[in-house]
Amino acid sequence: MHEISLLEEMREILQQQARRQHFSRVRQVTLDIGKLSCVEPEALRFAFDVVMKDTLAEDAVLVISVSEGIGVCQNCNKRMSLESLHEPCRHCAHPFVNVIEGADMKIKDLLVV
């Protein structure tokens, strides 16, 4: 369950930003999770309260949006939406498609006081 380590890294980012931008509490965290990121949104929701306990984000609301996976075929160069990392090109059936979006997780925005 690498979601805990992702949340621990997010907690570090929140603490760094709190020092830089002079806020003391996080009320809401919005994450954008790519469909191809191999991150389980339900596992994040399950672990969020535990990892954020006794921090500036304790009792914060976690909002998760899932973004589409996008790839470009290495053969025909056509762009397409992807449901998985190892999907062949739906235009020419070439087995190699470069993922260009949807393989990452980002902090989209924060509501702080």
Side-chain angles (χ1 to χ4, degrees):
M1 185 167 168
H2 71 286
E3 283 78 3
I4 289 178
S5 61
L6 292 171
L7 287 168
E8 290 171 340
E9 181 66 27
M10 185 177 76
R11 182 181 61 206
E12 290 297 319
I13 291 169
L14 294 177
Q15 291 169 340
Q16 291 170 1
Q17 291 305 311
R19 286 190 294 274
R20 282 191 195 145
Q21 299 183 38
H22 309 290
F23 58 83
S24 58
R25 300 289 304 163
V26 176
R27 297 288 182 216
Q28 180 175 302
V29 178
T30 303
L31 296 179
D32 181 53
I33 299 173
K35 190 181 272 186
L36 307 175
S37 67
C38 300
V39 175
E40 291 294 328
E42 289 311 312
L44 281 178
R45 284 189 180 95
F46 179 77
F48 182 79
D49 290 341
V50 173
V51 174
M52 297 304 159
K53 184 171 176 45
D54 298 328
T55 71
L56 72 161
E58 184 171 21
D59 299 325
V61 174
L62 177 63
V63 177
I64 296 175
S65 62
V66 177
S67 59
E68 183 178 19
I70 304 288
V72 173
C73 176
Q74 289 183 9
N75 183 50
C76 70
N77 286 328
K78 290 190 177 174
R79 185 179 168 115
M80 70 194 84
S81 64
L82 297 171
E83 294 298 319
S84 69
L85 283 172
H86 304 292
E87 195 174 312
C89 177
R90 72 175 55 121
H91 302 287
C92 71
H94 189 73
F96 301 112
V97 176
N98 293 330
V99 175
I100 59 170
E101 291 180 41
D104 54 359
M105 180 179 105
K106 302 177 223 168
I107 298 174
K108 192 172 181 181
D109 62 49
L110 300 173
L111 179 60
V112 300
V113 290

